Amino acid sequence: MAGRIVGHRYRLEAPLGRGGMATVWRGTDLDAGRPVAVKVLDGPRAAQPAALDRLRREAQTVSRLDHPNIVAGYEFGVDGDAGYLAMELVDGRSLADLLSGEGRLRVEQAIDIAAQVCAALAAAHGAGVIHRDIKPGNLIITDSGGVKVCDFGIARLQTRDTQAALTGSSAAVGTCEYMAPEQATGDAVDARTDLYSLGCVLYAMLTGRPPFLGDNPMAVLHQHLHEPPVPVGTVRADVPPSLDQLITRLVAKDPADRPASAAQVHHQLTEIRDAATAGTTTPGPVLTAAPAPTAPAAPPVAANPAGLPSTMAATGASWPARWIWSQQWWLILASAAAVLATVLTVAVVLASR
């Protein structure tokens, strides 16, 4: 499809990625003269009413959101047998690619990425949109370090009185490694569902793997429902305890045990980052610094009645040291007198001869 022009406006140039139902292409908006990303439905799905409706609803969802951490949508259309969605082109790579190359991220980098995702989620939740598929593959890290949340294809729109799904079924949808328990069982979802997925993403950024892995999706979902994850702090020693505790709350099985909002999580991440920058592990009251310890005062210098060398007298040597020195002094004098007497005796004998 490279070189094809869809919607009489968007020229497809090179594939950027492929999902379950569509391929995202790098392209050019020939009317505006700007680069774009174009999501085009693939093969047999291209003309399916359900697939077209899902792509249309994604376009409608994104059009409700205007935030620097959310990929902007431009236009939805159908060209022949292919539905397409033109979007903002983001220069960068997905967090999934970043993790596959680096294994795990620095603590500060993970906190920064999570905080930007929280900002995007706060905007989406404020507009009544639940993403339902927060995962490394749907987070683009720009060349400047910014974060863009993309792919609202399975988002759910909440109204004040009820929930209106943007997908046609209440069956479990999403990615099993990052799926909240209530989402896995098909129960009602809300903002805390996205926060659970964010906790799993944070876990993966810090440890290099999501909290649960298994031989098949059902094994992974069983762990989401029934097993606690290994605490991040036991896997990586440089993770602040406050961050470890926040992740534990984010991946709580019961939504009531999770933080209430993305804005609240953003605030806590900011506090943790600021505390780490200040050299402490958790924010706390400012403490008055204790006075620096001082060296003990030197003992008073005693007089030098025994004729000690000046160095010993000046340092105030204790009485055992002075006594030992005085004993050594008299031994030296006695030895010298004995040597002198021997010399005199030898001299007298030689003179008599």
Side-chain angles (χ1 to χ4, degrees), residues 235-247:
V235 179
R236 183 167 174 178
D238 62 338
V239 173
S242 52
L243 181 57
D244 191 5
Q245 294 165 9
L246 175 59
I247 294 173

Side-chain angles (χ1 to χ4, degrees), residues 76-126:
F76 165 79
V78 179
D79 186 343
D81 60 350
Y84 67 89
L85 172 60
M87 303 174 291
E88 173 189 9
L89 178 65
V90 180
D91 289 325
R93 55 178 176 162
S94 72
L95 177 60
D97 291 339
L98 189 62
L99 291 175
S100 66
E102 300 188 13
R104 64 183 190 180
L105 306 183
R106 293 179 292 104
V107 172
E108 297 81 4
Q109 185 180 12
I111 292 175
D112 182 62
I113 291 173
Q116 292 187 63
V117 176
C118 279
L121 290 178
H125 298 163

